[in-house]
Amino acid sequence: MGAKLIERASSIERRNGVSLWRQIADKILQGIASGDFTENAALPPEVALAERYGVNRHTVRSAIAALVQEGVLKAEQGRGTFVLSRKRLSYPIGARTRFSTGLQGQTTERHIALLSSSTEPASRRIAEALSIARGSAVIRLETRGEADGHPVSRATTWFDAKRFAGIETVMAETGSITASLKRFGINDYLRRSTVLSARHADADDLADLELQPGAIVLVTIAINVTMDGQPIQFAESRFPAERVELKLSAGD
């Protein structure tokens, strides 16, 4: 096994809480994204992949089966396993980040579904983000962004309950954060900050985004403000890495 293969095999962690087959599936996904495995071409044989990643063929077979189920690979009897062409959605992060317009031209239908809502006291983190007193009432919205009938984002969003009383009702009606804010007299707003990271999807994300255990989500922590700089929205959004890429706009 060459140095490159040894390096890749050593990156498999056997005691990190994520099953080996899921780690191998993620490695294959990374290989597709980086061009190691060409779209519409045959995947290397199971024995070659097992050697490449330092696992047994059964683990590789489980990873391939999961990716076939996810629509990444296609198994053809007697011919092998092929990489399907799958273009990810490109979601722009910029001064005016909007779910609907951000995916315009890539999808036909876009909608944000309200999964649940609640009122809770603001933690220190939320209070600082919204420039309100710690313990003040905030409205928490749990939402899912859908494009052409498929889940592409999962978000937890907080608003000052005093200023945006009833926004959960408006959100359920409009299916849009932007349209909801207009009901409260905010016709335009800006993204003040965005922090990007990535992690494995938790149980709620797996269910709501229809992902397999061990899937990776891209995470954004964002604060939106009015045109004069007043914080109005604090949100943590998760995007399935296998379906969405985040694109920073020039100058951000």
Side-chain angles (χ1 to χ4, degrees):
M1 183 181 294
K4 187 176 182 180
L5 299 190
I6 292 174
E7 180 183 355
R8 295 187 179 186
S10 65
S11 66
I12 302 299
E13 300 179 19
R14 299 177 183 275
R15 295 182 181 179
N16 70 349
V18 179
S19 57
L20 284 178
W21 69 263
R22 184 66 246 183
Q23 292 186 62
I24 300 306
D26 289 343
K27 291 296 181 184
I28 294 174
L29 286 172
Q30 292 170 15
I32 294 172
S34 65
D36 286 351
F37 305 134
T38 307
E39 291 184 352
N40 301 316
L43 202 67
E46 290 178 2
V47 64
L49 290 173
E51 180 182 1
R52 176 174 188 156
Y53 297 120
V55 296
N56 60 46
R57 291 181 64 183
H58 177 74
T59 300
V60 170
R61 192 173 298 120
S62 296
I64 289 175
L67 293 178
V68 168
Q69 183 177 352
E70 294 172 16
V72 178
L73 304 176
K74 179 181 180 181
E76 296 186 9
Q77 186 67 33
R79 295 192 61 215
T81 304
F82 294 82
V83 179
L84 294 179
S85 177
R86 301 172 71 252
K87 184 176 181 179
R88 291 184 296 172
L89 296 174
S90 181
Y91 188 76
I93 303 294
R96 283 184 169 82
T97 300
R98 308 287 191 267
F99 177 77
S100 183
T101 57
L103 297 179
Q104 196 168 22
Q106 303 178 71
T107 60
T108 302
E109 184 273 336
R110 298 162 297 282
H111 175 78
I112 297 180
L114 177 64
L115 303 179
S116 66
S117 64
S118 61
T119 300
E120 62 188 33
S123 65
R124 179 178 179 179
R125 175 186 180 220
I126 296 169
E128 289 179 351
L130 295 177
S131 295
I132 58 177
R134 184 175 182 179
S136 298
V138 291
I139 296 173
R140 173 175 175 160
L141 305 183
E142 299 288 348
T143 60
R144 178 174 61 204
E146 301 171 357
D148 293 338
H150 300 289
V152 295
S153 70
R154 175 75 167 79
T156 305
T157 306
W158 293 268
F159 296 93
D160 180 359
K162 183 177 181 180
R163 182 173 185 180
F164 297 101
I167 194 171
E168 67 275 20
T169 302
V170 179
M171 182 64 203
E173 175 189 340
T174 64
S176 166
I177 293 292
T178 299
S180 296
L181 289 173
K182 285 184 178 180
R183 297 281 185 92
F184 291 86
I186 299 173
N187 294 317
D188 198 5
Y189 58 94
L190 299 173
R191 175 65 58 89
R192 187 175 77 183
S193 64
T194 304
V195 177
L196 306 178
S197 62
R199 61 168 172 78
H200 285 97
D202 62 22
D204 288 338
D205 291 335
L206 291 176
D208 293 327
L209 294 175
E210 300 175 4
L211 300 172
Q212 295 294 323
I216 300 297
V217 290
L218 307 177
V219 182
T220 66
I221 307 294
I223 299 175
N224 285 329
V225 299
T226 59
M227 301 305 290
D228 60 359
Q230 299 178 32
I232 54 174
Q233 178 189 7
F234 179 52
E236 176 186 298
S237 302
R238 286 85 71 195
F239 302 83
E242 64 190 54
R243 301 175 200 154
V244 180
E245 64 180 12
L246 302 180
K247 182 179 181 181
L248 295 179
S249 298
D252 292 315

